[in-house]
mmCIF file of all heavy atoms in Angstrom:
data_model
loop_
_atom_site.group_PDB
_atom_site.id
_atom_site.type_symbol
_atom_site.label_atom_id
_atom_site.label_comp_id
_atom_site.label_asym_id
_atom_site.label_seq_id
_atom_site.Cartn_x
_atom_site.Cartn_y
_atom_site.Cartn_z
ATOM 1 N N MET S 588 5.340 -32.012 79.748
ATOM 2 C CA MET S 588 5.260 -33.047 78.707
ATOM 3 C C MET S 588 6.131 -34.254 79.074
ATOM 4 O O MET S 588 5.706 -35.405 78.968
ATOM 5 C CB MET S 588 5.691 -32.465 77.357
ATOM 6 C CG MET S 588 4.726 -31.423 76.818
ATOM 7 S SD MET S 588 5.362 -30.560 75.366
ATOM 8 C CE MET S 588 5.539 -31.913 74.229
ATOM 9 N N LEU S 589 7.350 -33.963 79.525
ATOM 10 C CA LEU S 589 8.253 -35.063 79.856
ATOM 11 C C LEU S 589 7.813 -35.776 81.128
ATOM 12 O O LEU S 589 7.708 -37.016 81.169
ATOM 13 C CB LEU S 589 9.681 -34.524 80.015
ATOM 14 C CG LEU S 589 10.322 -33.936 78.758
ATOM 15 C CD1 LEU S 589 11.687 -33.345 79.073
ATOM 16 C CD2 LEU S 589 10.459 -35.012 77.682
ATOM 17 N N GLY S 590 7.547 -34.980 82.186
ATOM 18 C CA GLY S 590 7.160 -35.580 83.465
ATOM 19 C C GLY S 590 5.806 -36.246 83.400
ATOM 20 O O GLY S 590 5.617 -37.372 83.901
ATOM 21 N N GLY S 591 4.835 -35.554 82.765
ATOM 22 C CA GLY S 591 3.506 -36.143 82.640
ATOM 23 C C GLY S 591 3.523 -37.398 81.800
ATOM 24 O O GLY S 591 2.850 -38.393 82.109
ATOM 25 N N GLY S 592 4.310 -37.360 80.718
ATOM 26 C CA GLY S 592 4.416 -38.563 79.894
ATOM 27 C C GLY S 592 5.022 -39.722 80.656
ATOM 28 O O GLY S 592 4.582 -40.874 80.521
ATOM 29 N N LEU S 593 6.013 -39.426 81.481
ATOM 30 C CA LEU S 593 6.642 -40.483 82.271
ATOM 31 C C LEU S 593 5.659 -41.074 83.277
ATOM 32 O O LEU S 593 5.579 -42.303 83.456
ATOM 33 C CB LEU S 593 7.862 -39.920 83.001
ATOM 34 C CG LEU S 593 8.662 -40.919 83.838
ATOM 35 C CD1 LEU S 593 9.264 -41.998 82.967
ATOM 36 C CD2 LEU S 593 9.770 -40.189 84.614
ATOM 37 N N LEU S 594 4.883 -40.199 83.922
ATOM 38 C CA LEU S 594 3.894 -40.696 84.891
ATOM 39 C C LEU S 594 2.827 -41.543 84.205
ATOM 40 O O LEU S 594 2.412 -42.585 84.724
ATOM 41 C CB LEU S 594 3.245 -39.510 85.607
ATOM 42 C CG LEU S 594 4.102 -38.810 86.656
ATOM 43 C CD1 LEU S 594 3.422 -37.536 87.126
ATOM 44 C CD2 LEU S 594 4.358 -39.733 87.847
ATOM 45 N N ALA S 595 2.374 -41.066 83.037
ATOM 46 C CA ALA S 595 1.357 -41.829 82.311
ATOM 47 C C ALA S 595 1.891 -43.175 81.850
ATOM 48 O O ALA S 595 1.170 -44.182 81.844
ATOM 49 C CB ALA S 595 0.864 -41.015 81.114
ATOM 50 N N TRP S 596 3.185 -43.197 81.490
ATOM 51 C CA TRP S 596 3.790 -44.444 81.010
ATOM 52 C C TRP S 596 3.981 -45.431 82.152
ATOM 53 O O TRP S 596 3.657 -46.618 82.045
ATOM 54 C CB TRP S 596 5.124 -44.118 80.336
ATOM 55 C CG TRP S 596 5.845 -45.326 79.830
ATOM 56 C CD1 TRP S 596 5.312 -46.365 79.131
ATOM 57 C CD2 TRP S 596 7.220 -45.633 80.000
ATOM 58 N NE1 TRP S 596 6.270 -47.296 78.846
ATOM 59 C CE2 TRP S 596 7.465 -46.877 79.358
ATOM 60 C CE3 TRP S 596 8.294 -44.983 80.615
ATOM 61 C CZ2 TRP S 596 8.717 -47.465 79.337
ATOM 62 C CZ3 TRP S 596 9.545 -45.568 80.570
ATOM 63 C CH2 TRP S 596 9.737 -46.798 79.941
ATOM 64 N N LYS S 597 4.458 -44.921 83.267
ATOM 65 C CA LYS S 597 4.716 -45.805 84.407
ATOM 66 C C LYS S 597 3.433 -46.167 85.152
ATOM 67 O O LYS S 597 3.249 -47.287 85.604
ATOM 68 C CB LYS S 597 5.696 -45.129 85.377
ATOM 69 C CG LYS S 597 7.121 -45.035 84.839
ATOM 70 C CD LYS S 597 7.763 -46.408 84.800
ATOM 71 C CE LYS S 597 9.228 -46.300 84.397
ATOM 72 N NZ LYS S 597 9.857 -47.648 84.323
ATOM 73 N N GLY S 598 2.520 -45.157 85.319
ATOM 74 C CA GLY S 598 1.290 -45.400 86.038
ATOM 75 C C GLY S 598 1.533 -45.652 87.522
ATOM 76 O O GLY S 598 2.623 -45.440 88.058
ATOM 77 N N GLY S 599 0.498 -46.086 88.225
ATOM 78 C CA GLY S 599 0.658 -46.491 89.620
ATOM 79 C C GLY S 599 0.521 -45.372 90.627
ATOM 80 O O GLY S 599 0.802 -45.578 91.804
ATOM 81 N N VAL S 600 0.084 -44.171 90.191
ATOM 82 C CA VAL S 600 -0.030 -43.059 91.130
ATOM 83 C C VAL S 600 -1.127 -43.335 92.156
ATOM 84 O O VAL S 600 -0.970 -43.120 93.358
ATOM 85 C CB VAL S 600 -0.310 -41.747 90.380
ATOM 86 C CG1 VAL S 600 -0.529 -40.604 91.364
ATOM 87 C CG2 VAL S 600 0.837 -41.429 89.441
ATOM 88 N N VAL S 601 -2.263 -43.826 91.664
ATOM 89 C CA VAL S 601 -3.387 -44.097 92.574
ATOM 90 C C VAL S 601 -3.003 -45.172 93.596
ATOM 91 O O VAL S 601 -3.289 -45.061 94.800
ATOM 92 C CB VAL S 601 -4.624 -44.533 91.766
ATOM 93 C CG1 VAL S 601 -5.774 -44.893 92.703
ATOM 94 C CG2 VAL S 601 -5.049 -43.415 90.817
ATOM 95 N N ASP S 602 -2.333 -46.210 93.114
ATOM 96 C CA ASP S 602 -1.902 -47.259 94.041
ATOM 97 C C ASP S 602 -0.932 -46.716 95.083
ATOM 98 O O ASP S 602 -0.941 -47.132 96.245
ATOM 99 C CB ASP S 602 -1.240 -48.398 93.266
ATOM 100 C CG ASP S 602 -2.229 -49.110 92.354
ATOM 101 O OD1 ASP S 602 -3.453 -49.018 92.623
ATOM 102 O OD2 ASP S 602 -1.786 -49.737 91.368
ATOM 103 N N SER S 603 -0.093 -45.794 94.667
ATOM 104 C CA SER S 603 0.869 -45.211 95.605
ATOM 105 C C SER S 603 0.155 -44.414 96.685
ATOM 106 O O SER S 603 0.536 -44.440 97.864
ATOM 107 C CB SER S 603 1.850 -44.307 94.853
ATOM 108 O OG SER S 603 2.583 -45.056 93.908
ATOM 109 N N ILE S 604 -0.899 -43.682 96.290
ATOM 110 C CA ILE S 604 -1.664 -42.928 97.292
ATOM 111 C C ILE S 604 -2.302 -43.891 98.299
ATOM 112 O O ILE S 604 -2.239 -43.686 99.522
ATOM 113 C CB ILE S 604 -2.742 -42.075 96.597
ATOM 114 C CG1 ILE S 604 -2.069 -41.008 95.713
ATOM 115 C CG2 ILE S 604 -3.662 -41.431 97.616
ATOM 116 C CD1 ILE S 604 -3.038 -40.214 94.879
ATOM 117 N N ALA S 605 -2.890 -44.950 97.774
ATOM 118 C CA ALA S 605 -3.534 -45.933 98.671
ATOM 119 C C ALA S 605 -2.515 -46.576 99.589
ATOM 120 O O ALA S 605 -2.791 -46.828 100.779
ATOM 121 C CB ALA S 605 -4.235 -46.998 97.820
ATOM 122 N N GLN S 606 -1.308 -46.799 99.059
ATOM 123 C CA GLN S 606 -0.267 -47.422 99.874
ATOM 124 C C GLN S 606 0.248 -46.463 100.941
ATOM 125 O O GLN S 606 0.609 -46.870 102.049
ATOM 126 C CB GLN S 606 0.890 -47.866 98.980
ATOM 127 C CG GLN S 606 2.001 -48.587 99.699
ATOM 128 C CD GLN S 606 3.098 -49.022 98.735
ATOM 129 O OE1 GLN S 606 2.916 -49.003 97.524
ATOM 130 N NE2 GLN S 606 4.225 -49.422 99.290
ATOM 131 N N ALA S 607 0.257 -45.161 100.617
ATOM 132 C CA ALA S 607 0.788 -44.186 101.561
ATOM 133 C C ALA S 607 -0.189 -43.882 102.695
ATOM 134 O O ALA S 607 0.225 -43.543 103.808
ATOM 135 C CB ALA S 607 1.137 -42.898 100.815
ATOM 136 N N LEU S 608 -1.490 -43.971 102.424
ATOM 137 C CA LEU S 608 -2.468 -43.634 103.448
ATOM 138 C C LEU S 608 -2.564 -44.746 104.499
ATOM 139 O O LEU S 608 -2.609 -45.922 104.162
ATOM 140 C CB LEU S 608 -3.840 -43.425 102.802
ATOM 141 C CG LEU S 608 -3.978 -42.194 101.898
ATOM 142 C CD1 LEU S 608 -5.353 -42.173 101.259
ATOM 143 C CD2 LEU S 608 -3.734 -40.914 102.699
ATOM 144 N N PRO S 609 -2.563 -44.373 105.765
ATOM 145 C CA PRO S 609 -2.720 -45.397 106.820
ATOM 146 C C PRO S 609 -4.170 -45.878 106.869
ATOM 147 O O PRO S 609 -5.073 -45.223 106.352
ATOM 148 C CB PRO S 609 -2.336 -44.629 108.087
ATOM 149 C CG PRO S 609 -2.672 -43.212 107.783
ATOM 150 C CD PRO S 609 -2.421 -43.028 106.318
ATOM 151 N N PRO S 610 -4.417 -47.006 107.476
ATOM 152 C CA PRO S 610 -5.804 -47.468 107.667
ATOM 153 C C PRO S 610 -6.615 -46.427 108.431
ATOM 154 O O PRO S 610 -6.068 -45.678 109.265
ATOM 155 C CB PRO S 610 -5.632 -48.762 108.455
ATOM 156 C CG PRO S 610 -4.252 -49.215 108.164
ATOM 157 C CD PRO S 610 -3.441 -47.980 107.976
#
Side-chain angles (χ1 to χ4, degrees):
M588 293 171 62
L589 295 176
L593 182 63
L594 285 171
W596 179 45
K597 289 289 186 181
V600 176
V601 177
D602 294 338
S603 298
I604 295 174
Q606 183 179 347
L608 292 176

